[in-house]
Amino acid sequence: ASKNSKTGKAGQRKDTNQGGSKNGKKGGLSGSSFFTWFMVIALLGVWTSVAVVWFDLVDYEQVLGKLGIYDADGDGDFDVDDAKVLLGLEPGGVVEKKSKEK
């Protein structure tokens, strides 16, 4: 009797790893791979934002100048009160919810 009597033929092994993936998982996106790519994209977004602010890549005066046409209260900037005027809400006041009357 030989050492490999279970397989039937000497020198023949049963290949249990089919497809080349680890731990029997199928190829494609697994849970950890999706999380890894999500974190990579999130970090790229964060560091791009840091670079824009740090290296002063955007001329904020020009961006705010385009919003100046919406300056409803004439204070020179576009703020919450200006947005309320554009939305038709009362500027500077508290917005109250209308109650349904029966």
Side-chain angles (χ1 to χ4, degrees):
S2 69
K3 294 181 187 177
N4 295 330
S5 61
K6 291 182 182 179
T7 60
K9 293 184 181 177
Q12 190 179 37
R13 290 189 298 165
K14 188 175 181 182
D15 189 13
T16 58
N17 191 1
Q18 298 175 3
S21 60
K22 297 194 315 186
N23 298 329
K25 292 183 180 178
K26 294 182 179 179
L29 290 178
S30 63
S32 63
S33 176
F34 174 76
F35 180 73
T36 302
W37 280 109
F38 178 77
M39 290 303 293
V40 166
I41 300 299
L43 286 173
L44 280 173
V46 167
W47 284 109
T48 301
S49 302
V50 168
V52 166
V53 172
W54 193 323
F55 296 116
D56 201 23
L57 299 177
V58 175
D59 183 16
Y60 294 105
E61 294 299 322
Q62 183 181 7
V63 173
L64 292 176
K66 290 179 181 178
L67 290 175
I69 60 173
Y70 299 110
D71 185 19
D73 54 4
D75 61 356
D77 64 350
F78 183 79
D79 53 6
V80 175
D81 290 332
D82 300 326
K84 287 181 180 179
V85 169
L86 285 174
L87 292 174
L89 304 174
E90 183 70 29
V94 177
V95 178
E96 296 179 11
K97 291 185 177 180
K98 296 178 182 177
S99 62
K100 294 182 180 179
E101 295 180 18
K102 292 183 180 180

